[in-house]
Amino acid sequence: MRKTAIVTGASSGIGAATARRLAAEGFNVVLAARRRDRLDALAGEIAEGVPGAGRIAAFTLDVTSQESVDALAAAVGACHVLVNNAGGALGLDSVATADLDDWRSMYESNVIGLARVTKAVLPKLVESGAGHIVNITSLAGHAPYEGGGGYNAAKYAAYAINEVLRLELVAEPVRVTEIAPGLVKTEEFSLVRFRGDEEKAAKPYEGVPEPLVADDVADCVAWAVTRPPHVNIDRIDVQPRVQAAPHKLHRE
């Protein structure tokens, strides 16, 4: 029997790469994100180009909307893996100059959204007898850096939820894994963070010979969810070789 995975934030970047990789591993995959046109295109790409892929379904999802999340939970049948990937960063302001609306938005997507989707899908994961929650966080949730206050706080909170879930679900057949990436170069993360300013968006990657790419993170997800059911990978910290901390990179 094929297992089914839900991937939030699947329209681009790490989410899209994870969906492709899980399909290649033989999962049925539910692609969930706000941009339906991108989801439909990705679903077609996977169905046509990934040998051995199971069923691929696209579902329009806004993790900040309870109604949207409830509709997803109602539409999905059996579910074995939930990848909470939806989220992101906004701005690089100091605490003193912070736009608190940006902080609120980051908290809504990275923290409340993660909790909302997990709560809605958890009964299906338990019922599967071999469920797995994978939360994509960030090294920003473990090592603060100047200008990262809002994003640091949101990802610290996501990390805390991950740890609490593992404690609360210890008697249930559900594994809980955190994937915490460092510098990952995707087509949108930095561009969204700096509201479309391409010059600012390119800065974090300047001189970095080989940042991570989305497929590197997807590889971590795939490895974690394909371990034997009795093996729980608590957390994977993954960063490029030239990165020692969020604020410490070798640049050429």
Side-chain angles (χ1 to χ4, degrees), residues 3 20 32 57 124 145 163 165 172 181 184 189 202 206 219 238:
K3 293 183 177 182
R20 292 187 191 97
K124 297 177 185 293
Y145 56 90
E163 294 299 292
L165 277 170
E172 302 291 350
V184 184
F189 179 85
E206 282 183 358
D219 188 47
V238 55

Side-chain angles (χ1 to χ4, degrees), residues 116-226:
R116 181 179 284 120
V117 177
T118 300
K119 182 179 178 181
V121 177
L122 184 56
K124 297 177 185 293
L125 297 172
V126 173
E127 187 178 353
S128 77
H132 201 152
I133 300 167
V134 180
N135 294 319
I136 308 296
T137 63
S138 170
L139 288 182
H142 302 284
Y145 56 90
E146 291 168 295
Y151 188 55
N152 290 148
K155 289 304 188 183
Y156 265 104
Y159 154 71
I161 291 173
N162 196 83
E163 294 299 292
V164 170
L165 277 170
R166 194 176 299 111
L167 293 170
E168 293 176 344
L169 296 175
V170 69
E172 302 291 350
V174 179
R175 297 182 286 176
V176 182
T177 297
E178 177 188 2
I179 311 289
L183 186 69
V184 184
K185 189 173 185 179
T186 63
E187 66 269 30
E188 289 191 335
F189 179 85
S190 193
L191 202 59
V192 170
R193 184 171 207 166
F194 296 107
R195 292 181 167 82
D197 187 321
E198 294 185 3
E199 185 176 348
K200 285 185 177 180
K203 278 279 185 191
Y205 311 106
E206 282 183 358
V208 179
E210 288 185 287
L212 296 181
V213 294
D215 285 339
D216 296 322
V217 183
D219 188 47
C220 294
V221 176
W223 182 75
V225 302
T226 55

Side-chain angles (χ1 to χ4, degrees), residues 22 26 88 105 116 164 192 214 236 244 247:
L22 293 182
S105 179
R116 181 179 284 120
V164 170
V192 170
I236 299 176
H247 58 278

Side-chain angles (χ1 to χ4, degrees), residues 19 30 40 73 79 85 102 106 127 130 134 157 172 183 186 209 214 242-243:
V30 178
D40 288 339
C79 182
N85 170 71
D102 282 354
M106 286 188 281
E127 187 178 353
V134 180
E172 302 291 350
L183 186 69
T186 63
V242 294
Q243 183 175 29

Side-chain angles (χ1 to χ4, degrees), residues 11-44:
S11 60
S12 66
I14 292 170
T18 298
R20 292 187 191 97
R21 180 59 189 274
L22 293 182
E25 295 286 344
F27 283 83
N28 299 321
V29 183
V30 178
L31 314 173
R34 290 175 298 178
R35 295 176 293 184
R36 184 55 181 263
D37 58 334
R38 291 197 173 211
L39 295 180
D40 288 339
L42 178 59

